[in-house]
Amino acid sequence: LFLIDKTKMRFVAKHIIIIVSTVTCLVACNNHSANWETLNSIETIIDQNPDSALNLLNDINCDTLSEDNKMYHHFLTVKAMDKAYIDHKSDSLISLAYDYFQSHNTERLPEVVYYCGRVNNDLGDYPTALNFYQNALDMLPADTENQKLRGAVLCQTGKNTIRKVLNMESTLTIRNIYMEFLVIMIVILSQRNQ
Protein backbone atom coordinates (compact mmCIF):
# COMPACT_ATOMS: atom_id res chain seq x y z
CA LEU A 1 0.00 0.00 0.00
CA PHE A 2 1.04 3.49 -0.75
CA LEU A 3 1.00 5.78 2.16
CA ILE A 4 0.40 9.36 1.15
CA ASP A 5 0.67 12.16 3.54
CA LYS A 6 -2.70 13.93 4.15
CA THR A 7 -1.11 17.28 3.39
CA LYS A 8 0.13 16.03 0.01
CA MET A 9 -3.28 14.51 -0.68
CA ARG A 10 -5.02 17.82 -0.01
CA PHE A 11 -2.46 19.61 -2.16
CA VAL A 12 -3.08 17.20 -5.07
CA ALA A 13 -6.86 17.36 -4.62
CA LYS A 14 -6.81 21.19 -4.69
CA HIS A 15 -4.75 21.19 -7.87
CA ILE A 16 -6.99 18.65 -9.54
CA ILE A 17 -10.03 20.79 -8.71
CA ILE A 18 -8.30 23.91 -10.04
CA ILE A 19 -7.27 22.14 -13.25
CA VAL A 20 -10.75 20.69 -13.85
CA SER A 21 -12.36 24.08 -13.13
CA THR A 22 -9.96 25.85 -15.50
CA VAL A 23 -10.55 23.36 -18.31
CA THR A 24 -14.32 23.59 -17.79
CA CYS A 25 -14.18 27.40 -17.94
CA LEU A 26 -12.03 27.35 -21.07
CA VAL A 27 -14.38 24.92 -22.82
CA ALA A 28 -17.41 26.96 -21.76
CA CYS A 29 -15.83 30.24 -22.87
CA ASN A 30 -14.76 28.75 -26.19
CA ASN A 31 -18.27 27.35 -26.72
CA HIS A 32 -19.78 30.76 -25.86
CA SER A 33 -17.46 32.46 -28.32
CA ALA A 34 -18.18 29.90 -31.07
CA ASN A 35 -21.94 30.28 -30.59
CA TRP A 36 -21.62 34.07 -30.63
CA GLU A 37 -19.68 33.89 -33.91
CA THR A 38 -22.32 31.59 -35.40
CA LEU A 39 -25.10 33.98 -34.40
CA ASN A 40 -23.12 36.95 -35.79
CA SER A 41 -22.73 35.09 -39.08
CA ILE A 42 -26.45 34.42 -39.20
CA GLU A 43 -27.18 38.10 -38.56
CA THR A 44 -25.12 39.08 -41.59
CA ILE A 45 -27.47 37.16 -43.93
CA ILE A 46 -30.81 38.12 -42.36
CA ASP A 47 -31.44 41.13 -44.62
CA GLN A 48 -30.84 39.25 -47.88
CA ASN A 49 -31.90 35.72 -46.87
CA PRO A 50 -34.25 35.84 -43.87
CA ASP A 51 -35.72 32.40 -44.60
CA SER A 52 -32.27 30.78 -44.61
CA ALA A 53 -31.34 32.67 -41.45
CA LEU A 54 -34.52 31.48 -39.77
CA ASN A 55 -33.75 27.87 -40.74
CA LEU A 56 -30.25 28.18 -39.29
CA LEU A 57 -31.64 29.70 -36.09
CA ASN A 58 -34.19 26.90 -35.79
CA ASP A 59 -31.36 24.36 -36.01
CA ILE A 60 -29.70 25.77 -32.89
CA ASN A 61 -30.66 24.21 -29.58
CA CYS A 62 -31.30 27.20 -27.30
CA ASP A 63 -30.97 25.05 -24.19
CA THR A 64 -27.23 24.75 -24.84
CA LEU A 65 -26.66 28.51 -25.20
CA SER A 66 -25.44 30.90 -22.56
CA GLU A 67 -27.98 33.51 -21.46
CA ASP A 68 -26.29 36.18 -23.59
CA ASN A 69 -26.35 33.97 -26.68
CA LYS A 70 -29.91 32.82 -25.97
CA MET A 71 -31.17 36.43 -25.87
CA TYR A 72 -29.22 37.23 -29.04
CA HIS A 73 -30.83 34.14 -30.62
CA HIS A 74 -34.31 35.31 -29.56
CA PHE A 75 -33.67 38.76 -31.01
CA LEU A 76 -32.36 37.33 -34.30
CA THR A 77 -35.35 34.98 -34.57
CA VAL A 78 -37.76 37.91 -34.26
CA LYS A 79 -35.72 39.95 -36.75
CA ALA A 80 -35.58 37.09 -39.28
CA MET A 81 -39.33 36.46 -38.97
CA ASP A 82 -40.00 40.14 -39.53
CA LYS A 83 -37.70 40.30 -42.57
CA ALA A 84 -39.39 37.16 -43.96
CA TYR A 85 -42.82 38.82 -43.54
CA ILE A 86 -43.97 36.23 -41.02
CA ASP A 87 -46.54 37.74 -38.67
CA HIS A 88 -45.57 37.62 -35.03
CA LYS A 89 -48.14 35.74 -32.94
CA SER A 90 -46.56 36.49 -29.57
CA ASP A 91 -44.24 39.00 -27.95
CA SER A 92 -42.58 36.47 -25.65
CA LEU A 93 -39.21 36.23 -27.47
CA ILE A 94 -38.77 39.96 -28.02
CA SER A 95 -39.90 40.72 -24.47
CA LEU A 96 -37.21 38.43 -23.07
CA ALA A 97 -34.59 39.97 -25.37
CA TYR A 98 -35.75 43.50 -24.49
CA ASP A 99 -35.53 42.86 -20.74
CA TYR A 100 -32.07 41.35 -21.14
CA PHE A 101 -30.55 43.91 -23.51
CA GLN A 102 -32.02 46.79 -21.55
CA SER A 103 -29.62 46.00 -18.74
CA HIS A 104 -26.77 44.25 -20.60
CA ASN A 105 -26.17 45.67 -24.07
CA THR A 106 -27.07 49.27 -24.78
CA GLU A 107 -25.45 49.16 -28.24
CA ARG A 108 -28.06 46.72 -29.56
CA LEU A 109 -30.96 48.15 -27.54
CA PRO A 110 -32.34 50.64 -30.13
CA GLU A 111 -32.78 47.83 -32.65
CA VAL A 112 -34.36 45.55 -30.05
CA VAL A 113 -36.76 48.37 -29.13
CA TYR A 114 -37.60 48.84 -32.83
CA TYR A 115 -38.49 45.14 -33.12
CA CYS A 116 -40.63 45.42 -29.98
CA GLY A 117 -42.59 47.95 -32.00
CA ARG A 118 -42.74 45.67 -35.05
CA VAL A 119 -44.06 42.77 -32.96
CA ASN A 120 -46.69 44.97 -31.34
CA ASN A 121 -47.69 46.15 -34.83
CA ASP A 122 -48.32 42.55 -35.86
CA LEU A 123 -50.28 41.96 -32.67
CA GLY A 124 -52.47 44.98 -33.47
CA ASP A 125 -51.36 47.00 -30.44
CA TYR A 126 -50.57 50.19 -32.35
CA PRO A 127 -50.32 52.57 -29.39
CA THR A 128 -47.71 50.34 -27.74
CA ALA A 129 -45.89 50.02 -31.05
CA LEU A 130 -45.79 53.81 -31.37
CA ASN A 131 -44.38 54.08 -27.85
CA PHE A 132 -41.59 51.64 -28.72
CA TYR A 133 -40.83 53.53 -31.94
CA GLN A 134 -40.63 56.79 -30.01
CA ASN A 135 -38.28 55.17 -27.48
CA ALA A 136 -36.10 53.89 -30.33
CA LEU A 137 -36.01 57.37 -31.88
CA ASP A 138 -34.98 58.83 -28.54
CA MET A 139 -32.00 56.44 -28.58
CA LEU A 140 -31.12 57.27 -32.20
CA PRO A 141 -30.23 60.95 -32.58
CA ALA A 142 -30.54 62.55 -36.02
CA ASP A 143 -26.77 62.31 -36.50
CA THR A 144 -26.61 58.60 -35.59
CA GLU A 145 -24.36 56.34 -37.63
CA ASN A 146 -27.24 53.87 -37.91
CA GLN A 147 -29.33 55.89 -40.38
CA LYS A 148 -30.86 52.71 -41.82
CA LEU A 149 -32.41 51.80 -38.47
CA ARG A 150 -33.48 55.40 -37.81
CA GLY A 151 -35.15 55.49 -41.23
CA ALA A 152 -36.99 52.24 -40.52
CA VAL A 153 -38.20 53.59 -37.17
CA LEU A 154 -39.39 56.83 -38.77
CA CYS A 155 -41.16 54.88 -41.53
CA GLN A 156 -43.01 52.69 -39.05
CA THR A 157 -43.84 55.71 -36.89
CA GLY A 158 -45.36 57.39 -39.94
CA LYS A 159 -47.37 54.31 -40.91
CA ASN A 160 -48.75 53.92 -37.40
CA THR A 161 -49.55 57.62 -37.12
CA ILE A 162 -51.47 57.47 -40.42
CA ARG A 163 -53.26 54.33 -39.22
CA LYS A 164 -54.20 56.12 -36.00
CA VAL A 165 -55.48 59.19 -37.90
CA LEU A 166 -57.45 57.03 -40.35
CA ASN A 167 -58.94 55.13 -37.44
CA MET A 168 -59.96 58.41 -35.83
CA GLU A 169 -61.43 59.61 -39.13
CA SER A 170 -63.33 56.38 -39.64
CA THR A 171 -64.66 56.67 -36.10
CA LEU A 172 -65.76 60.23 -36.85
CA THR A 173 -67.36 59.08 -40.12
CA ILE A 174 -69.27 56.37 -38.30
CA ARG A 175 -70.40 58.93 -35.70
CA ASN A 176 -71.51 61.31 -38.44
CA ILE A 177 -73.45 58.56 -40.21
CA TYR A 178 -75.06 57.56 -36.92
CA MET A 179 -75.99 61.17 -36.14
CA GLU A 180 -77.51 61.56 -39.61
CA PHE A 181 -79.43 58.33 -39.09
CA LEU A 182 -80.78 59.64 -35.78
CA VAL A 183 -81.83 62.92 -37.39
CA ILE A 184 -83.61 61.02 -40.18
CA MET A 185 -85.33 58.77 -37.65
CA ILE A 186 -86.47 61.80 -35.62
CA VAL A 187 -87.81 63.44 -38.76
CA ILE A 188 -89.65 60.26 -39.78
CA LEU A 189 -91.09 59.76 -36.29
CA SER A 190 -92.17 63.39 -36.03
CA GLN A 191 -93.90 63.15 -39.44
CA ARG A 192 -95.79 60.06 -38.27
CA ASN A 193 -96.98 61.82 -35.15
CA GLN A 194 -98.44 64.77 -37.11
Side-chain angles (χ1 to χ4, degrees):
L1 292 173
F2 294 100
L3 294 175
I4 299 178
D5 180 350
K6 286 184 181 181
T7 307
K8 287 183 181 178
M9 205 160 143
R10 284 188 190 128
F11 178 78
V12 170
K14 281 183 186 178
H15 280 79
I16 289 174
I17 290 171
I18 290 171
I19 291 170
V20 168
S21 298
T22 303
V23 169
T24 303
C25 285
L26 288 173
V27 169
C29 289
N30 191 26
N31 191 26
H32 172 79
S33 179
N35 288 330
W36 189 259
E37 290 303 317
T38 300
L39 293 169
N40 276 333
S41 297
I42 292 171
E43 186 171 23
T44 63
I45 67 166
I46 283 180
D47 286 337
Q48 289 77 30
N49 301 302
D51 293 325
S52 299
L54 200 51
N55 288 334
L56 291 169
L57 288 164
N58 288 335
D59 288 342
I60 296 174
N61 181 1
C62 279
D63 295 334
T64 63
L65 299 177
S66 67
E67 184 181 16
D68 194 36
N69 285 338
K70 188 180 291 188
M71 295 305 127
Y72 188 26
H73 182 278
H74 291 342
F75 163 69
L76 291 178
T77 300
V78 169
K79 183 176 179 177
M81 288 177 67
D82 195 67
K83 297 283 185 183
Y85 301 102
I86 298 170
D87 282 344
H88 303 283
K89 305 292 184 207
S90 166
D91 67 348
S92 59
L93 289 181
I94 198 64
S95 293
L96 290 169
Y98 173 72
D99 290 343
Y100 181 81
F101 285 114
Q102 196 171 21
S103 61
H104 288 84
N105 187 335
T106 56
E107 186 177 299
R108 188 173 305 280
L109 187 59
E111 191 174 14
V112 172
V113 172
Y114 166 73
Y115 280 102
C116 285
R118 295 290 299 130
V119 168
N120 278 282
N121 250 359
D122 283 353
L123 297 176
D125 188 353
Y126 306 118
T128 301
L130 273 172
N131 285 338
F132 276 116
Y133 295 143
Q134 185 58 55
N135 290 342
L137 281 175
D138 291 344
M139 294 178 212
L140 295 165
D143 62 347
T144 184
E145 290 185 20
N146 198 343
Q147 288 297 316
K148 182 179 176 185
L149 177 59
R150 183 171 169 77
V153 174
L154 287 169
C155 179
Q156 291 302 319
T157 301
K159 284 181 181 179
N160 272 12
T161 303
I162 289 169
R163 184 178 286 126
K164 187 176 180 180
V165 168
L166 289 176
N167 189 30
M168 285 170 47
E169 285 178 8
S170 65
T171 302
L172 289 175
T173 303
I174 291 169
R175 276 192 204 139
N176 290 340
I177 292 170
Y178 181 70
M179 293 302 288
E180 285 182 39
F181 171 76
L182 287 177
V183 169
I184 292 170
M185 290 305 293
I186 291 170
V187 169
I188 291 173
L189 289 174
S190 66
Q191 286 177 353
R192 278 189 178 170
N193 290 337
Q194 288 181 357

